[in-house]
Amino acid sequence: MNSGEVPDVVVLRLPLYVRVLSQLLHRGDNVVSSDQLGALLQMTPAQIRKDLSYFGRFGKQGRGYDVKFLREKLRGILGLDLKWPTCLVGVGRLGQAIINYPGFVPEGFDILAAFDSDPEQMGTTVGGLAVQPMSCLDETVAAKGISIGIVAVPSAQAQSVIGRLVKAGVHGILNYAPVAPQVPADTVIRNVDPVLSLQSMTFYLMQDRGAPLAAMP
Amino acid sequence: MNSGEVPDVVVLRLPLYVRVLSQLLHRGDNVVSSDQLGALLQMTPAQIRKDLSYFGRFGKQGRGYDVKFLREKLRGILGLDLKWPTCLVGVGRLGQAIINYPGFVPEGFDILAAFDSDPEQMGTTVGGLAVQPMSCLDETVAAKGISIGIVAVPSAQAQSVIGRLVKAGVHGILNYAPVAPQVPADTVIRNVDPVLSLQSMTFYLMQDRGAPLAAMP
DNA sequence: ATATGTGAATGGGTTCACAGCT
DNA sequence: AGCTGTGAACCCATTCACATAT
């Protein structure tokens, strides 16, 4: 077991492992090998074993990993067995889609408050939450112990909103605005940016003209 | 100039450069140095210069880069000066949010068709597009020359929908379903997965308890 | 027999540092 | 003088291969 620093790329892969293990559990599989996991995730068995070795020894030599056990361990390491109080800033079309997305809550990310700077939004309700003005942000974040902020405001406002969230005590930001915001070193930020994804995809699509689709017989 | 293989990480960064250059152009800046770009993107100047060197020599020694010129070059390399016919599969809440998102079209990604397997959706219109049954997929993809598919269906259907898109001739997939789909080697896939992002974030938030926020004086 | 856990080897991306151009 | 372009050095992640456990 390696108790040193864990590479960021490894941490990024852990949730993927948890997800596959959940699927296996659902199917009724009790044991998996790193070979099987590798096939499901399209990665080498060695990488999976190495990744896991940063956190402990979870397998049984000759057998493999107990699905339920490994899943619980990884969930604990990631803190997925906890509730994470979350808030949303920006309740436009995108914000509404986010708050109504049924995938966050079952994973422990409870959106407990919604904010918007538009006076017209005040008094309205989104996903069962009363939309609050930005002036309530500090108080609500403190009162509800909110540690994660989801940012769904226009690009021009994103940086300042993120600054306010951080100042209010939020340490994690999920940003949907197409910008590269600056945050303090002790703040974790993740950007959801489908346009960037598409724009790097087209590079490869361009090369494709006449790519090896299938060898002629 | 290095005409060999370009690392994938470099391609992933190019759209970021384009975006910053667009901002600079908008502000009226005509010239930038790799130092300035590095400060804006929080990366080292050396990395920016190295990245660009894979594609050519775009700067002027002693001066820096002409913003407009570099932006045009990078847009050309990525194929962003082209129109990319795109389709959407899945017009549920998420799909509707995607099709109404105003960020795709101005970047050249035109959603020209929408599909859904739900019979109740047939005949309805989403974002100005008539929702088509899945049986029309092959024909429409061919007829409109669609090369990119956006997948916003439930997890259980995602893999089969992606398979159908690929078979229909689509070479790029933007997948919103929380799964890790398998695609042929000549197909490019990008996953938009905010839950995974949050789940790797909590690992660091957990470590934070008592983290170095500021040194005591 | 079979599959983990892990040092060692490998490979690839980032940073350095300086030659070269303006 | 100032900043790019780039081989070389460095660093870190992945893969290998085998000792080890069941």
Side-chain angles (χ1 to χ4, degrees):
Chain A
M1 132 111 120
N2 177 341
S3 278
E5 199 62 14
V6 181
D8 289 353
V9 272
V10 173
V11 175
L12 288 174
R13 284 192 290 263
L14 294 186
L16 226 62
Y17 300 155
V18 173
R19 188 179 278 169
V20 177
L21 290 167
S22 299
Q23 288 173 358
L24 291 171
L25 198 65
H26 198 71
R27 280 186 214 164
D29 294 13
N30 293 324
V31 179
V32 257
S33 65
S34 56
D35 269 35
Q36 294 171 312
L37 288 174
L40 288 167
L41 291 167
Q42 306 203 238
M43 35 194 302
T44 66
Q47 180 159 67
I48 292 169
R49 294 201 301 276
K50 182 61 117 182
D51 283 0
L52 297 178
S53 78
Y54 283 105
F55 303 97
R57 306 156 73 128
F58 306 115
K60 286 194 174 47
Q61 283 158 328
R63 296 217 172 281
Y65 301 90
D66 181 277
V67 174
K68 197 169 183 179
F69 175 76
L70 179 57
R71 187 182 107 96
E72 282 315 305
K73 283 295 180 188
L74 294 182
R75 284 177 54 85
I77 291 163
L78 288 168
L80 304 186
D81 42 8
L82 305 175
K83 287 271 171 223
W84 292 94
T86 303
C87 71
L88 172 71
V89 183
V91 294
R93 191 141 40 196
L94 177 59
Q96 289 178 35
I98 291 168
I99 212 166
N100 288 310
Y101 176 63
F104 288 126
V105 174
E107 299 292 347
F109 301 98
D110 293 347
I111 303 181
L112 301 182
F115 303 92
D116 204 296
S117 61
D118 180 1
E120 291 213 6
Q121 293 283 2
M122 293 322 125
T124 67
T125 299
V126 184
L129 290 173
V131 178
Q132 300 179 43
M134 290 299 286
S135 54
C136 295
L137 198 136
D138 291 84
E139 195 185 321
T140 303
V141 164
K144 306 209 170 182
I146 289 170
S147 52
I148 295 174
I150 302 178
V151 177
V153 302
S155 301
Q157 300 168 34
Q159 180 64 63
S160 92
V161 163
I162 289 169
R164 290 199 58 172
L165 282 167
V166 170
K167 207 169 289 178
V170 165
H171 279 199
I173 302 281
L174 184 68
N175 170 49
Y176 281 81
V179 290
Q182 320 251 332
V183 292
D186 67 331
T187 301
V188 188
I189 185 159
R190 297 283 186 267
N191 297 295
V192 179
D193 204 323
V195 171
L196 274 194
S197 298
L198 286 172
Q199 287 181 332
S200 66
M201 184 160 101
T202 51
F203 175 81
Y204 297 101
L205 297 183
M206 297 242 297
Q207 327 292 311
D208 261 357
R209 313 279 160 261
L213 286 170
M216 290 292 188
Chain B
M1 134 110 120
N2 177 340
S3 278
E5 199 61 14
V6 181
D8 289 353
V9 274
V10 173
V11 175
L12 289 175
R13 285 192 289 262
L14 294 186
L16 226 62
Y17 299 156
V18 173
R19 188 178 279 170
V20 177
L21 291 167
S22 298
Q23 288 172 358
L24 291 172
L25 199 64
H26 199 70
R27 280 188 213 162
D29 294 12
N30 292 325
V31 179
V32 257
S33 65
S34 57
D35 268 35
Q36 295 171 312
L37 288 174
L40 289 168
L41 291 168
Q42 306 203 240
M43 36 194 302
T44 65
Q47 179 159 68
I48 291 169
R49 294 201 302 275
K50 181 64 117 181
D51 283 358
L52 297 178
S53 79
Y54 284 105
F55 303 97
R57 307 158 75 133
F58 306 115
K60 285 194 174 48
Q61 283 157 328
R63 296 216 171 280
Y65 301 92
D66 181 278
V67 175
K68 196 169 185 179
F69 175 77
L70 179 58
R71 180 177 175 275
E72 281 316 304
K73 283 295 180 187
L74 294 181
R75 284 178 55 86
I77 290 163
L78 287 168
L80 304 186
D81 42 7
L82 304 175
K83 286 274 172 222
W84 292 93
T86 303
C87 72
L88 172 71
V89 184
V91 295
R93 194 144 35 198
L94 177 60
Q96 289 177 35
I98 292 168
I99 212 168
N100 288 308
Y101 177 63
F104 288 126
V105 174
E107 299 293 346
F109 301 98
D110 293 347
I111 303 181
L112 301 181
F115 304 93
D116 204 296
S117 60
D118 180 1
E120 290 213 6
Q121 292 284 2
M122 294 320 126
T124 67
T125 298
V126 183
L129 290 173
V131 178
Q132 300 180 42
M134 289 300 286
S135 54
C136 294
L137 198 138
D138 291 84
E139 196 185 321
T140 303
V141 164
K144 304 207 171 183
I146 288 170
S147 51
I148 295 174
I150 302 178
V151 177
V153 302
S155 301
Q157 301 168 34
Q159 180 63 63
S160 92
V161 162
I162 289 169
R164 290 197 61 172
L165 282 166
V166 169
K167 207 170 288 177
V170 165
H171 279 200
I173 302 281
L174 185 68
N175 170 48
Y176 281 80
V179 291
Q182 320 252 333
V183 292
D186 68 329
T187 301
V188 187
I189 185 158
R190 296 282 186 268
N191 296 295
V192 179
D193 203 322
V195 172
L196 274 194
S197 298
L198 285 172
Q199 288 182 332
S200 66
M201 185 161 102
T202 52
F203 175 81
Y204 297 101
L205 297 184
M206 297 241 298
Q207 324 295 309
D208 260 359
R209 313 278 159 261
L213 287 170
M216 291 289 186

